[in-house]
Amino acid sequence: MPQVYAILSLPHSNIFSSSSSSALIRRRSRRTFSPTQPPNLKRLTSRIVQLSRRRQLHQIFEEIESAKRQYGKLNTIVMNAVLEACVHCGDVDLALNIFHQMAQPYSCGVDTVTYATLLKGLGRARRIDEAFQILESVEQGTAAGKPKLSAQLIYGLLNALIEAGDLRRANGLLARYGFLLREGGSLSISTYNLLMKGYISTGFPQAAINLHEEILRLGLEPDRLTYNTLIFACVKMENLDAALRIFEEMKDKAQRLCHHDLYPDVVTYTTLLKGFGHAKDLHSVQMIVLEMKSRHDLFIDRTAFTAMVDAMLNCGSIKGALCIFGEILKWAGANVDFRPKPHLFLSMMRAFAAQGDCNMVKNLHKRLWPDSSGTISLAVQEEADHLLMESALNDGQMDAALENLTKIINRWKGISWMSRGGMVALRIEVLLGFTKSMFSPYLLPQVLPGEPIESIMMPFETVRPLLGTLELKKEVMRFYREPVVPVIDEWGSCIGLLHREDCYEVDAPLSTMMTSPPPCVTTTTSIGHVVDLVLEKKYKMVIVVKHSNLSGTTHRSRPVGVFTAKQLVNLVVPVSEVLKQEQSLCRRLKMF
């Protein structure tokens, strides 16, 4: 394993704290503790967990540094919480650094929890080789702390692989270390639950159903999670009859065996609500809601109430959705944990905006800030403004719609034509006409949007692609002249685009500085679609490949041409100029 240097600071350095916080810490008096009475660090651990949920990694290290100044060396429990925070925030390199510092002599040491957390982080980051190296060192007894090879270590990595959709490596992990997870000669039901979840997340729900048959054949007893996963698989397959059969089997078995842990829980019901809501089966949705409310042992949380509202809206029952939404607000008056998330306000606003109920949309827009819970992102705020405009237009209030559109332009500095609000703005543009346009639109008079891009693309050779193995220093001047250059491999396939802003190392090969595969379309793709891609995604260049070469993927296809943003700028003409040309032509015709 490559050597990684510890990043946590020594007692007299603080690379994570700001100068102001460091000065504040220095002004505080140091506490002294008796050697026989170790400090209680439970509050610090709880604080780290809270900050981890908020992804405030910087603040965690500031408080850890302050605690080290007060208490000296921190224990393994606290440092495990810091390690978990790094994994939760996706900073695996930092987690590795902390792990190596914990493993140093005279440090707090590492335990099984430390290794399980690190393996989970490496699995999420898809750094599987490093994870297997750690497992091998544990198996050989050479790992720091001498942990025992256990199911706890395997489960974390297995779950991370399955969540990442890497079932091939997950099955490889089971083949090598599955003996740790076996109960009575076969894999445990928890392992099968993980595999079923993996098949569903990768788009193979039928494989999860097949695993259920294997579970029964092996004589294993499905638990509640097994049944919930099976119901989810059936919903994914849109086989709601099978989902109901499993649901009834789940209830019958729980009642027959007097097994309370097998009764459907809130996850079971919300999964069914999503399935029947998507199928627009209002009767089934209403029956599920009625059963949920009739069960006195079932705690209906905010997520379940939200699923009820979404299902009702999908089925077109706005009155039913409004009743449940009002119930949520009533519960929220006594318990802030029931306060709805902003997206639920948007769902209700969309339904009323489509009906042209301007007053309801205004009221929901007004209550979004004081009555919702969680962060109201800029995207949510923008869509809420769009829905005000839509409701006014659908209600026939053209002046109010224009007023809202003006506010949107001034506040958000534009609007995406691909969005719902963009379609409303387009309707307003049509009603106003080009002469009164608020957007100064441009036209493409030289081309037809329905024609294939092949008719206007530039041949691929004209943009002079560069080999990916070429070092930047040999073509550095090229990027002063051109903002983006296509990169090819030795077989002539386009492997990516290198943008000027990504050129950061002159001695590096070009292929190492590419950030993503190239955006590709086929020769038969319409000009209008390619123009939408350039405008919406802000692509500077789009690669055109033959339709026969695409074969389900855009990466490593033989290119035949390109279409650039510069070409689009040369093709468009402002509407004002077109109108001037038409007026000039009309005046000339009147002269004859």
Side-chain angles (χ1 to χ4, degrees):
M1 184 181 301
Q3 183 179 2
V4 185
Y5 295 98
I7 199 164
L8 279 180
S9 55
L10 296 173
H12 297 290
S13 63
N14 186 354
I15 57 177
F16 287 95
S17 302
S18 62
S19 57
S20 58
S21 61
S22 299
L24 179 62
I25 293 169
R26 284 194 295 269
R27 287 195 295 268
R28 292 176 182 169
S29 59
R30 294 197 180 191
R31 299 181 186 178
T32 58
F33 295 92
S34 170
T36 59
Q37 185 179 1
N40 188 350
L41 299 176
K42 289 183 179 179
R43 291 184 61 185
L44 177 61
T45 307
S46 299
R47 174 67 174 163
I48 293 170
V49 172
Q50 292 174 359
L51 293 173
S52 175
R53 291 171 182 166
R54 302 174 196 164
R55 297 184 180 274
Q56 296 179 348
L57 198 56
H58 183 87
Q59 181 65 28
I60 288 174
F61 279 97
E62 286 191 353
E63 300 202 11
I64 284 294
E65 194 63 33
S66 175
K68 287 176 66 177
R69 291 177 180 275
Q70 295 182 42
Y71 306 131
K73 183 174 69 174
L74 303 179
N75 61 29
T76 305
I77 297 176
V78 173
M79 296 309 298
N80 280 344
V82 176
L83 190 68
E84 176 65 38
C86 295
V87 170
H88 181 70
C89 296
D91 197 336
V92 182
D93 289 325
L94 185 54
L96 279 168
N97 292 343
I98 293 170
F99 171 80
H100 282 284
Q101 177 161 338
M102 292 171 65
Q104 293 293 324
Y106 308 108
S107 188
C108 63
V110 294
D111 56 12
T112 303
V113 175
T114 314
Y115 277 94
T117 305
L118 184 61
L119 287 170
K120 178 175 66 175
L122 291 171
R124 288 180 180 177
R126 308 297 297 274
R127 293 164 66 166
I128 312 303
D129 292 338
E130 295 176 63
F132 272 98
Q133 287 176 13
I134 291 176
L135 281 176
E136 287 174 358
S137 67
V138 173
E139 186 178 15
Q140 295 167 4
T142 59
K146 302 294 182 181
K148 298 293 184 182
L149 198 61
S150 63
Q152 184 180 5
L153 297 181
I154 306 302
Y155 267 126
L157 179 57
L158 180 63
N159 189 46
L161 288 173
I162 288 174
E163 286 182 349
D166 195 344
L167 289 179
R168 183 180 63 84
R169 290 181 182 269
N171 284 312
L173 180 67
L174 286 175
R176 182 165 181 178
Y177 297 104
F179 65 91
L180 295 167
L181 309 178
R182 296 186 183 277
E183 296 176 359
S186 60
L187 292 175
S188 65
I189 192 66
S190 300
T191 307
Y192 277 105
N193 290 342
L194 281 177
L195 289 173
M196 290 166 65
K197 181 179 73 172
Y199 283 121
I200 296 171
S201 64
T202 52
F204 299 101
Q206 183 59 51
I209 304 294
N210 297 339
L211 276 181
H212 178 232
E213 298 173 0
E214 183 178 336
I215 290 171
L216 297 178
R217 188 172 63 253
L218 292 172
L220 296 174
E221 288 294 331
D223 58 11
R224 178 190 286 161
L225 180 57
T226 309
Y227 283 114
N228 284 347
T229 309
L230 286 171
I231 292 173
F232 184 48
C234 294
V235 168
K236 281 289 186 180
M237 296 170 62
E238 299 183 358
N239 189 351
L240 297 179
D241 291 335
L244 279 180
R245 284 197 300 271
I246 296 171
F247 178 62
E248 294 299 330
E249 177 188 334
M250 185 180 185
K251 292 191 292 184
D252 292 342
K253 189 174 181 180
Q255 188 173 7
R256 187 176 68 253
L257 300 177
C258 296
H259 200 329
H260 182 76
D261 290 339
L262 271 181
Y263 277 104
D265 61 359
V266 71
V267 176
T268 317
Y269 288 107
T270 52
T271 304
L272 288 171
L273 282 172
K274 290 176 183 177
F276 285 109
H278 182 72
K280 302 186 186 305
D281 187 344
L282 179 60
H283 177 71
S284 296
V285 168
Q286 290 172 334
M287 294 302 296
I288 293 170
V289 171
L290 182 62
E291 182 174 332
M292 292 175 71
K293 291 187 176 183
S294 63
R295 279 191 54 184
H296 302 294
D297 60 335
L298 181 70
F299 175 71
I300 304 176
D301 59 8
R302 177 176 58 194
T303 303
F305 275 121
T306 301
M308 292 180 190
V309 175
D310 288 337
M312 290 286 186
L313 290 176
N314 286 335
C315 294
S317 177
I318 298 180
K319 288 184 178 179
L322 188 59
C323 289
I324 297 174
F325 186 76
E327 189 175 350
I328 298 174
L329 295 179
K330 179 181 176 181
W331 280 99
N335 187 350
V336 294
D337 290 337
F338 281 92
R339 293 177 65 180
K341 292 285 188 178
H343 85 269
L344 189 58
F345 276 86
L346 285 184
S347 297
M348 297 296 297
M349 290 173 70
R350 292 187 197 110
F352 285 112
Q355 286 192 333
D357 194 336
C358 199
N359 290 330
M360 280 299 300
V361 175
K362 283 182 180 178
N363 289 335
L364 289 167
H365 187 278
K366 182 180 179 181
R367 303 307 306 174
L368 175 62
W369 284 96
D371 291 345
S372 66
S373 173
T375 303
I376 304 177
S377 66
L378 293 178
V380 170
Q381 297 175 44
E382 186 175 6
E383 186 178 356
D385 291 347
H386 290 178
L387 292 170
L388 279 176
M389 172 180 63
E390 180 181 349
S391 63
L393 183 61
N394 289 341
D395 194 31
Q397 302 181 33
M398 187 63 178
D399 292 337
L402 275 174
E403 181 182 352
N404 285 316
L405 179 56
T406 304
K407 291 179 180 178
I408 289 170
I409 295 172
N410 293 334
R411 181 182 180 187
W412 301 107
K413 310 304 178 185
I415 187 170
S416 171
W417 294 114
M418 302 295 291
S419 66
R420 178 170 176 161
M423 297 304 296
V424 176
L426 185 60
R427 288 167 55 195
I428 295 175
E429 281 284 286
V430 172
L431 293 173
L432 288 176
F434 282 141
T435 55
K436 297 180 181 179
S437 172
M438 301 177 64
F439 290 96
S440 301
Y442 285 75
L443 297 178
L444 289 168
Q446 304 175 38
V447 297
L448 294 176
E451 290 183 348
I453 192 65
E454 186 178 18
S455 60
I456 62 170
M457 71 179 186
M458 292 191 300
F460 188 69
E461 295 76 15
T462 59
V463 293
R464 297 183 298 128
L466 298 174
L467 271 174
T469 55
L470 198 66
E471 292 182 352
L472 176 60
K473 61 185 177 184
K474 296 181 180 178
E475 291 286 345
V476 67
M477 295 305 298
R478 175 85 178 270
F479 291 91
Y480 280 99
R481 300 189 300 269
E482 301 174 28
V484 60
V485 176
V487 179
I488 58 175
D489 59 17
E490 56 269 28
W491 293 283
S493 298
C494 185
I495 58 174
L497 300 177
L498 182 57
H499 295 77
R500 179 189 295 159
E501 55 268 23
D502 296 327
C503 298
Y504 55 83
E505 191 173 346
V506 293
D507 293 326
L510 300 180
S511 59
T512 62
M513 292 179 282
M514 299 183 306
T515 56
S516 63
C520 294
V521 296
T522 64
T523 52
T524 57
T525 305
S526 67
I527 294 174
H529 179 68
V530 177
V531 169
D532 287 340
L533 282 177
V534 172
L535 295 176
E536 183 71 17
K537 305 294 186 180
K538 294 182 171 54
Y539 290 144
K540 295 179 182 177
M541 180 180 292
V542 176
I543 305 297
V544 183
V545 299
K546 287 185 178 179
H547 184 74
S548 58
N549 288 344
L550 202 58
S551 48
T553 179
T554 59
H555 191 35
R556 294 187 180 277
S557 300
R558 295 284 300 201
V560 294
V562 299
F563 183 79
T564 65
K566 186 177 180 180
Q567 281 180 271
L568 179 60
V569 171
N570 294 331
L571 287 173
V572 297
V573 176
V575 169
S576 57
E577 293 187 12
V578 176
L579 292 176
K580 287 179 182 178
Q581 293 174 5
E582 291 180 354
Q583 292 171 358
S584 176
L585 180 61
C586 290
R587 284 195 296 268
R588 291 178 184 177
L589 291 174
K590 289 179 181 179
M591 293 174 64
F592 293 98

